[in-house]
Amino acid sequence: MTAEAVKALRAVIGNEFSLDLQEAVIGGEGLDTVGDALPPETLAVARQADAILLGGTGVPEDEKRPPSEGAGYGLLKLRKALSLYANFRPVKLFPELLDASTLKPDVVGGVDMVILRELNGDLYFGQPRGIETDAEGRRVGFNTMRYTDAEIERIAHAGFQAARRRRKKLCSVDKANVLETMALWREVVIEVSKQYPDVELSHLYIDAASMVLIRNPRQFDVIVTGNVFGDILSDAAAMLAGSIGMLPSASLGSDNKGLYEPVHGTAPDIAGKNIANPLAAILSVAMMLRYSFGLENHAARVEEAVGSVLRDGYRTGDIMQPGSRLVGTREMGDAVVEAVLQSGGGSKLVSASLS
Ligand SMILES: NC(=O)c1ccc[n+]([C@@H]2O[C@H](COP(=O)([O-])OP(=O)(O)OC[C@H]3O[C@@H](n4cnc5c(N)ncnc54)[C@H](O)[C@@H]3O)[C@@H](O)[C@H]2O)c1
Ligand SMILES: CC(C)[C@H](C(=O)O)[C@@H](O)C(=O)O
Ligand SMILES: [Mg+2]
């Protein structure tokens, strides 16, 4: 999937820009090769890069290790080390996939929202954490849900600003009725909202939000939520877009450096068969072009190319519909590349823009 994303990136920049692409291991591959889920060399490469494209990390066997040393933790450490705290997960249903969703077309038609997931705090990083044996000899597992007011404030600002660029509706999702961390979350979001009177703020508890997401998803514009709730909500929301293979993401901090990755994982049940959907990875490249490089037109060309291959009936198995053309991962990538090249008008246009 990542290889297809790189192909699309190369195709859209053509000869206009040079691409200095460096590869580095992380997650399961880091553990296998150098015994570290985030090797220092990888962190150094990531720090120097203008943008990072991340392939899925983790294989189930690695998850036999303690979570804080496992494959997934390489990615968590990278997000934290680079202060990439705002994870934008757009959920948009391509009209061509209206019938690919397991939900009714009149429920999902026109879905267009962003789930903004805080990425540097919450149960993922709170201390103390661990598995210990207590005085009565029982084994106890524990994690700490933790947010500082400053962390909530910065993600709230990101949420209001994102809503301002869109339909001006922000829904904050928490569990303020039960958890102190989330009571503080709500308090701080309400305080920050005073600076954004033009944005309509609403609140939902995570349990109700999960239900409303499926019942009436079109009501959402931007959802801002914590690390754990955002992780879960976004996988559920993937089904609004037809498949988790359609959901890209951008993790941003205070500068333009971003980390771009599909929302899905390594899909181990279908790995190595050339059947996984590369479109989430390819759409992540579009987000990279937009947010890290400011190349809005190039980003739009990639997104339009995805729309065009879907219109032409190309489908991987996860979004297959009757009468469509079933293709593999590489063939889908090739079709997108072809559509990208056509949208650029071929070599003539590339040389024109170079001159
Ligand atoms: N960003 C990441 O690196 C990331 C994200 C999630 C999970 N993971 C890791 O990935 C591994 C597998 O986790 P999981 O199975 O819970 O989640 P997953 O997202 O890999 O797969 C969940 C289901 O969705 C399907 N799926 C996922 N991506 C697909 C695609 N592009 N096309 C078609 N079908 C697709 C899979 O086949 C599977 O049935 C674990 O080791 C997990 O820790 C990594
Ligand atoms: C692999 C895992 C660490 C990761 C997360 O929980 O953040 C993934 O599920 C995601 O959604 O990016
Ligand atoms: Mg996840």
Side-chain angles (χ1 to χ4, degrees):
M1 295 176 270
T2 312
E4 303 315 308
V6 172
K7 258 162 57 178
L9 177 60
R10 289 196 189 283
V12 78
I13 63 176
N15 297 327
E16 264 184 277
F17 303 98
S18 67
L19 174 69
D20 177 5
L21 180 70
Q22 297 184 43
E23 290 188 9
V25 294
I26 192 168
E29 194 149 353
L31 287 167
D32 286 350
T33 53
V34 291
D36 192 342
L38 180 60
E41 311 78 61
T42 299
L43 182 57
V45 168
R47 279 196 199 284
Q48 283 164 19
D50 295 317
I52 303 152
L53 177 65
L54 192 111
T57 76
V59 285
E61 300 86 78
D62 290 322
E63 281 153 24
K64 289 186 192 132
R65 295 167 191 259
S68 59
E69 293 165 25
Y73 225 74
L75 171 57
L76 301 186
K77 280 186 186 155
L78 181 62
R79 291 168 175 169
K80 185 84 169 173
L82 301 179
S83 295
L84 301 168
Y85 63 87
N87 180 214
F88 292 86
R89 299 187 157 188
V91 182
K92 200 170 175 173
L93 176 69
F94 280 86
E96 295 77 15
L97 296 184
L98 198 57
D99 296 321
S101 174
T102 50
L103 298 161
K104 291 181 191 154
D106 62 330
V107 172
V108 291
V111 158
D112 179 6
M113 74 179 82
V114 174
I115 296 179
L116 174 55
R117 169 188 179 197
E118 201 291 330
L119 219 48
N120 282 182
D122 208 339
L123 284 170
Y124 277 71
F125 297 99
Q127 293 291 344
R129 61 182 293 163
I131 302 176
E132 286 175 5
T133 304
D134 71 6
E136 281 90 57
R138 295 171 302 199
R139 296 187 73 218
V140 186
F142 51 95
N143 292 83
T144 304
M145 182 177 255
R146 189 172 190 281
Y147 269 120
T148 65
D149 52 359
E151 285 172 329
I152 303 168
E153 240 176 84
R154 66 180 182 178
I155 194 71
H157 279 292
F160 282 106
Q161 282 159 19
R164 212 170 234 181
R165 291 190 296 269
R166 294 173 45 94
R167 302 193 302 276
K168 299 191 170 49
K169 283 171 64 179
L170 181 69
C171 178
S172 169
V173 171
D174 61 37
K175 190 76 185 173
N177 51 340
V178 174
L179 303 166
E180 280 73 13
T181 321
M182 289 285 128
L184 180 66
W185 176 283
R186 190 173 288 213
E187 195 185 308
V188 173
V189 170
I190 291 172
E191 192 54 37
V192 172
S193 74
K194 293 176 186 156
Q195 297 175 48
Y196 301 88
D198 52 321
V199 176
E200 180 192 320
L201 172 66
S202 61
H203 305 272
L204 280 175
Y205 297 131
I206 178 63
D207 42 357
S210 313
M211 181 269 291
V212 177
L213 189 75
I214 307 299
R215 188 185 65 187
N216 183 15
R218 270 197 302 265
Q219 79 176 61
F220 293 115
D221 179 16
V222 179
I223 290 177
V224 65
T225 190
N227 208 345
V228 173
F229 298 161
D231 181 39
I232 301 165
L233 264 193
S234 51
D235 266 34
M239 291 321 295
L240 306 171
S243 164
I244 194 146
M246 295 302 300
L247 242 56
S249 92
S251 303
L252 307 175
S254 45
D255 56 19
N256 287 344
K257 188 202 292 272
L259 184 151
Y260 302 86
E261 53 172 323
V263 167
H264 62 71
T266 53
D269 51 339
I270 57 169
K273 297 180 179 161
N274 190 40
I275 58 175
N277 186 345
L279 295 180
I282 290 173
L283 290 167
S284 300
V285 157
M287 294 187 86
M288 173 192 289
L289 290 162
R290 176 170 295 125
Y291 297 120
S292 281
F293 298 121
L295 296 172
E296 175 55 39
N297 288 344
H298 295 71
R301 276 176 61 202
V302 172
E303 287 163 350
E304 279 156 20
V306 169
S308 126
V309 300
L310 293 174
R311 260 191 312 285
D312 290 344
Y314 290 86
R315 299 284 186 278
T316 43
D318 56 315
I319 50 172
M320 186 58 191
Q321 291 159 284
S324 297
R325 176 170 167 192
L326 184 63
V327 293
T329 310
R330 282 188 291 279
E331 294 69 30
M332 184 62 107
D334 290 344
V336 173
V337 164
E338 188 56 34
V340 162
L341 293 176
Q342 280 182 14
S343 72
S347 54
K348 244 171 144 184
L349 199 105
V350 169
S351 51
S353 63
L354 273 179
S355 61

